[in-house]
Amino acid sequence: QVQLMESGGGLAQPGGSLRLACATVGYVFRINDMAWYRHAPGKERELLASISRTGRTKYADSVKGRFTISRDNTRNMAYLEMKSLKPEETAVYYCNADIIGSGYSRDDSWGRGTQVTISS
């Protein structure tokens, strides 16, 4: 089973920027849609952005214009560029991908998450 690993989280100041990366570990035949979510304490998990294999993107209204999702199909990676960050965006950020792996098995894969803390 292919694993996803997020990186790039950490502490940023309000108004600051962070760039998250999502890497795959294991054999990948093809990755369809990829997405980023976040989950803050006491709140529902929130879909932030998604990107198709062909690069079509969708964004939640809460991040539109500030976050940019991208992917590198040759490296099987996804990225989330985040700007103008707000304290209320402190959360664990997760990568999600629809992956076809060995034996053409299909998995809805999740990473373990990376903590993003926005504070002065």
Side-chain angles (χ1 to χ4, degrees):
Q1 186 175 2
V2 178
Q3 293 182 331
L4 299 177
M5 294 181 62
E6 301 93 342
S7 62
L11 176 65
Q13 291 190 338
S17 301
L18 285 173
R19 184 176 189 247
L20 306 183
C22 174
T24 55
V25 178
Y27 174 77
V28 172
F29 175 73
R30 188 177 71 228
I31 302 177
N32 297 319
D33 288 358
M34 303 185 80
W36 287 93
Y37 289 76
R38 67 186 173 199
H39 192 189
K43 296 184 179 180
E44 301 263 331
R45 185 177 63 188
E46 180 183 13
L47 170 61
L48 302 176
S50 65
I51 184 167
S52 71
R53 182 169 178 79
T54 58
R56 185 180 68 249
T57 58
K58 295 181 181 179
Y59 294 93
D61 288 343
S62 59
V63 305
K64 201 173 293 183
R66 298 186 299 118
F67 289 14
T68 302
I69 189 171
S70 60
R71 63 188 288 172
D72 182 338
N73 289 337
T74 62
R75 300 177 65 193
N76 293 321
M77 292 189 68
Y79 304 93
L80 186 68
E81 187 82 36
M82 305 185 294
K83 298 180 180 180
S84 301
L85 287 161
K86 306 172 185 178
E88 57 265 35
E89 295 183 304
T90 294
V92 179
Y93 285 67
Y94 296 91
C95 178
N96 168 255
D98 177 13
I99 297 176
I100 298 177
S102 61
Y104 302 106
S105 62
R106 187 171 181 175
D107 287 310
D108 180 31
S109 299
W110 291 85
R112 293 186 175 185
T114 184
Q115 176 71 45
V116 170
T117 302
I118 311 303
S119 175
S120 55

